[in-house]
């Protein structure tokens, strides 16, 4: 019987989240940034919520596609991998990702890990040698059944993804995937959040119900990969190699080690919908066969289009995350990608939508609220936070609403509903905006300075809590905001009365945190 997270997790304060490891045949694009950003937001949230987090990303550096790309570039495969892997590490720095590890499948520790898993599967009787004959896509690193192929121009056979396929015949080792059809269906039925969103679970269940064939897991027609133990000429097929990185990073095969004991099984594998099958069918089957615990969830998000068009190199409309940061700002980019589209769905990237969203929620919303409030305190309270009087009902209503939203946000984050988490936070920012409008502290300055000071204190306290809440999404902006009101303790355990601001602290002349954006052509 397979083991799930619920049966094996002993330390509830640990949290392990992974991106897929990205294939080094190309430069990073918006899809890579999107997946890793989602993981980063969740990792940061869990750390602030008191968890010991392991956040893993990295690069997948083996396979025929890499070998061919290196040959085309006129360099050795490892040199090619070094170059492209560095670009993904540059993206992590540019996007301010907080990954704890960046793994590369060319590392010696990974070779040791995946060869150990292979030997374990052999010992368990789930690997055998035979001959493979079938359709293979170099681009997808995947085999396809005849029934899955589509016709391209001129009768060319294509994979369901549109990638070219070629007929391959060669000796191969096979994994007995067919033996796990019933066990996988049992998994999906018994743990209906194993694959999220649920529409993706239905796709996976339908695929498995259609019948599983044994899986070719070695190749002999290229050399760039992890050698199969005791089988000269065989290189591991990319998916058993690549997927095992999630184990490698926590110390496998040392299952008694600190990291493995603390972090395995993973809480969330975050993937794009195009690689869901490998993570939700092949990976749990490998783990079941090896009698290892299963991850808790595989979440498959959707794809972006660009101004209504499918993104492709041929159209020249690939979205460069580095360019987005340069044009619109880092935290604005992070915010838009997590806020605009329900996470899990496909979404359309529009520069006009970007500017509208950032200006409405950030520049005109939270940014304007903090600028007005802190400017009034600096100007009218001798640049110090005033002491509040007795709080009125409307004061406590605002503060208790922001305090309480953490539980709502936590629920959305645990379902990877990032857009709803942000919606809940910014609903509280809107409540604070309504509060300042109705309380009119600029009028109270002339009629009731004591009440003005209370209102400004309540607003500063609202800004403190909102600043803490936005840290996972916009860490740099949150830092600037919180630093202006001298907040040093920034965990979610401070979202209560015990974390309140101390009257009398200096409030310097505020600096804008969220500048108003314009479309580049409008600026010109």
């Amino acid at each position: 019987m397979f083991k799930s997270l619920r049966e094996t997790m002993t330390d509830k304060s640990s949290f392990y989240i992974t991106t897929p490891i990205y294939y080094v045949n190309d430069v990073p694009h918006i899809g890579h940034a999107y997946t890793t950003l989602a993981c980063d937001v969740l990792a940061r949230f869990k750390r602030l919520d008191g968890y010991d987090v392991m956040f893993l990303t990295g690069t997948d550096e083996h396979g025929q596609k890499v070998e061919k790309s290196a040959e085309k570039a006129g360099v050795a495969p490892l040199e090619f991998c070094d170059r492209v892997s560095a670009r993904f590490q540059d993206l992590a720095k540019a996007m301010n990702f907080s990954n704890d590890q960046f793994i590369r499948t060319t590392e010696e520790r990974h070779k040791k890990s995946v060869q150990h898993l292979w030997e374990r599967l052999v010992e368990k009787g789930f690997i055998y040698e035979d001959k493979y004959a079938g359709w293979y896509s170099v681009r997808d690193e995947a085999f396809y059944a005849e029934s899955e192929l589509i016709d391209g121009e001129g009768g060319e056979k294509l994979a369901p993804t549109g990638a070219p396929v070629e007929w391959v015949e060669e000796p191969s080792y096979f994994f007995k995937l067919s033996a796990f059809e019933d066990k996988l269906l049992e998994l999906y039925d018994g743990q209906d959040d194993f694959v999220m969103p649920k529409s993706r679970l239905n796709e996976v269940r339908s695929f498995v119900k259609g019948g599983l064939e044994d899986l070719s897991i070695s190749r002999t027609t290229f050399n760039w990969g992890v050698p199969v133990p005791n089988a000269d000429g065989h290189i591991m097929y990319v998916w058993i190699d690549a997927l095992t990185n999630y184990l490698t990073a926590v110390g496998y095969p040392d299952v008694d080690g600190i990291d493995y004991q603390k972090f395995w099984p993973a809480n969330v594998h975050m993937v794009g919908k195009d690689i869901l099958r490998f993570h939700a069918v092949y990976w749990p089957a490998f783990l079941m066969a090896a009698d290892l615990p299963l991850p808790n969830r595989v979440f498959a998000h959707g794809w972006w289009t660009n101004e209504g068009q499918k993104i492709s190199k041929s159209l020249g409309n690939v979205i460069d995350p580095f360019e987005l940061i340069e044009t619109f700002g880092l935290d604005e980019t992070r915010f838009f990608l997590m806020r605009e589209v329900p996470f899990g769905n496909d979404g359309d990237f529009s520069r006009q939508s970007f500017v509208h969203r950032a200006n409405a929620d950030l520049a005109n919303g939270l940014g304007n609220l903090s600028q007005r409030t802190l400017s009034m305190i600096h100007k009218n309270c001798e640049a110090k936070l005033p002491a509040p009087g007795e709080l009125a009902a409307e004061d406590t209503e605002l503060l208790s609403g922001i305090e309480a939203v953490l539980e709502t946000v936590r629920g959305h984050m645990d379902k990877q509903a990032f857009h709803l988490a942000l919606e809940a936070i910014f609903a509280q920012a809107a409540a604070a905006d309504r509060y300042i409008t109705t309380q009119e502290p600029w009028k109270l300055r002339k009629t009731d300075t004591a009440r003005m000071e209370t209102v400004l204190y309540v607003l500063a306290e609202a800004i403190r809590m909102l600043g803490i809440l936005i840290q996972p999404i916009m860490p740099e902006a949150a830092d600037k905001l919180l630093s202006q009101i001298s907040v040093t303790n920034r965990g979610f355990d401070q979202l209560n009365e015990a974390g309140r601001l101390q009257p009398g602290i200096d409030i310097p002349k505020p600096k804008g945190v969220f500048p108003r954006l314009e479309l580049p052509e409008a600026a010109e």
Side-chain angles (χ1 to χ4, degrees):
M1 183 68 177
F2 57 86
K3 300 186 184 84
S4 72
L5 174 76
R6 293 184 175 90
E7 297 169 312
T8 57
M9 191 77 161
T10 56
D11 184 358
K12 292 184 179 179
S13 67
S14 62
F15 190 85
Y16 183 24
I17 185 167
T18 70
T19 73
I21 47 173
Y22 301 118
Y23 210 56
V24 290
N25 67 314
D26 204 354
V27 296
H29 54 66
I30 194 66
H32 304 117
Y34 187 51
T35 313
T36 315
L37 174 59
C39 293
D40 182 62
V41 168
L42 192 51
R44 288 178 181 273
F45 183 90
K46 289 294 182 181
R47 291 189 193 105
L48 289 163
D49 211 16
Y51 287 75
D52 188 358
V53 173
M54 174 71 77
F55 167 22
L56 175 69
T57 189
T59 43
D60 179 7
E61 304 184 5
H62 289 140
Q64 188 176 10
K65 188 162 50 172
V66 172
E67 189 173 73
K68 287 186 174 183
S69 295
E71 184 179 336
K72 185 178 179 181
V75 297
L78 184 57
E79 182 182 348
F80 177 82
C81 292
D82 288 343
R83 291 180 188 176
V84 184
S85 181
R87 294 174 189 162
F88 283 92
Q89 294 179 63
D90 290 342
L91 176 67
K93 293 175 185 174
M95 290 290 295
N96 197 13
F97 295 148
S98 62
N99 50 290
D100 298 287
Q101 289 192 52
F102 188 100
I103 193 168
R104 299 178 59 186
T105 55
T106 47
E107 294 177 44
E108 190 61 31
R109 63 169 174 160
H110 180 67
K111 176 181 175 182
K112 176 183 175 183
S113 172
V114 72
Q115 287 183 329
H116 184 277
L117 180 64
W118 181 286
E119 290 172 335
R120 181 159 180 156
L121 295 176
V122 170
E123 290 170 6
K124 296 278 188 179
F126 290 109
I127 289 179
Y128 64 93
E129 188 176 9
D130 203 341
K131 180 181 178 182
Y132 180 81
W135 295 102
Y136 181 73
S137 165
V138 174
R139 194 179 84 185
D140 295 347
E141 295 283 10
F143 295 101
Y144 292 101
E146 183 89 31
S147 60
E148 294 181 278
L149 302 183
I150 57 177
D151 291 327
E153 293 183 9
E156 181 188 14
K157 297 285 187 183
L158 299 176
T161 60
V165 295
E166 58 189 39
W167 184 260
V168 172
E169 293 187 20
E170 60 181 298
S172 179
Y173 282 92
F174 286 78
F175 172 72
K176 293 182 181 179
L177 184 63
S178 59
F180 293 90
E181 184 176 325
D182 290 341
K183 291 181 180 179
L184 287 167
L185 292 173
E186 180 186 342
L187 168 65
Y188 308 147
D189 292 340
Q191 190 177 332
D192 64 359
D193 61 351
F194 178 74
V195 175
M196 292 283 284
K198 291 195 175 180
S199 59
R200 307 273 185 240
L201 175 62
N202 295 333
E203 294 171 13
V204 170
R205 184 186 281 115
S206 178
F207 173 75
V208 174
K209 280 186 175 180
L212 296 177
E213 296 182 357
D214 290 350
L215 182 68
S216 172
I217 54 172
S218 77
R219 302 291 304 278
T220 58
T221 51
F222 62 93
N223 298 314
W224 184 241
V226 177
V228 172
N230 306 311
D232 290 345
H234 284 265
I235 295 296
M236 290 189 198
Y237 166 59
V238 69
W239 282 105
I240 193 168
D241 172 6
L243 291 165
T244 306
N245 91 90
Y246 305 130
L247 287 169
T248 303
V250 292
Y252 185 83
D254 182 9
V255 296
D256 296 319
I258 294 173
D259 282 349
Y260 183 91
Q261 287 291 314
K262 177 178 275 289
F263 292 111
W264 191 258
N267 294 74
V268 181
H269 290 318
M270 196 78 75
V271 301
K273 65 180 183 178
D274 53 322
I275 55 173
L276 175 59
R277 179 190 303 180
F278 309 111
H279 285 79
V281 180
Y282 300 170
W283 183 226
F286 292 155
L287 293 170
M288 289 176 187
D291 196 28
L292 294 172
L294 306 186
N296 191 31
R297 177 174 301 161
V298 177
F299 194 105
H301 65 72
W303 291 341
W304 286 91
T305 53
N306 188 353
E307 307 287 354
Q309 287 188 311
K310 182 179 179 181
I311 294 175
S312 72
K313 287 183 183 178
S314 58
L315 291 175
N317 66 345
V318 174
I319 301 171
D320 179 0
F322 294 99
E323 187 268 330
L324 284 185
I325 296 167
E326 181 69 25
T327 303
F328 296 117
L330 170 58
D331 278 354
E332 288 82 356
T333 297
R334 290 172 59 103
F335 174 77
F336 176 80
L337 292 176
M338 290 291 97
R339 177 66 184 90
E340 185 68 8
V341 176
F343 194 72
N345 294 359
D346 292 338
D348 184 51
F349 179 87
S350 158
R351 287 174 179 258
Q352 186 170 359
S353 296
F354 190 122
V355 169
H356 175 76
R357 172 69 71 185
N359 285 340
D361 288 352
L362 302 181
N364 300 339
L366 180 57
N368 184 52
L369 173 72
S370 61
Q371 188 73 10
R372 291 168 74 190
T373 299
L374 300 182
S375 292
M376 284 199 70
I377 294 173
H378 180 78
K379 182 178 180 181
N380 298 296
C381 303
E382 299 180 346
K384 293 185 182 296
L385 183 68
E390 184 176 348
L391 299 187
E394 54 267 37
D395 306 334
T396 55
E397 180 182 359
L398 176 64
L399 296 179
S400 61
I402 302 175
E403 287 177 15
V405 82
L406 174 61
E407 194 60 36
T408 301
V409 172
R410 188 181 282 131
H412 292 320
M413 286 289 188
D414 283 341
K415 294 179 181 177
Q416 290 74 63
F418 303 107
H419 61 295
L420 294 179
L422 280 165
E423 184 179 289
I425 293 169
F426 278 83
Q428 295 304 314
D433 211 34
R434 291 192 297 272
Y435 173 86
I436 194 174
T437 300
T438 57
Q439 296 299 311
E440 299 180 312
W442 49 90
K443 289 185 177 179
L444 292 171
R445 180 174 62 88
K446 299 177 181 178
T447 61
D448 189 344
T449 55
R451 178 60 188 160
M452 176 200 73
E453 290 176 349
T454 298
V455 168
L456 291 176
Y457 177 88
V458 169
L459 285 165
E461 180 57 24
I463 290 165
R464 178 189 74 88
M465 292 192 287
L466 291 168
I468 288 173
L469 285 164
I470 66 169
Q471 289 177 101
I473 302 97
M474 296 175 283
E476 286 192 356
D479 177 63
K480 291 176 183 176
L481 191 59
L482 293 170
S483 293
Q484 292 190 65
I485 49 177
S486 303
V487 177
T488 55
N489 296 326
R490 301 178 177 184
F492 291 156
D493 60 349
Q494 299 298 303
L495 292 171
N496 50 44
E497 200 167 327
R500 293 277 190 259
L501 291 167
Q502 291 300 309
I505 60 171
D506 291 334
I507 302 294
K509 186 176 181 180
K511 298 178 181 178
V513 175
F514 299 111
R516 185 171 177 80
L517 300 182
E518 291 184 358
L519 288 169
E521 55 268 29
E524 291 172 12

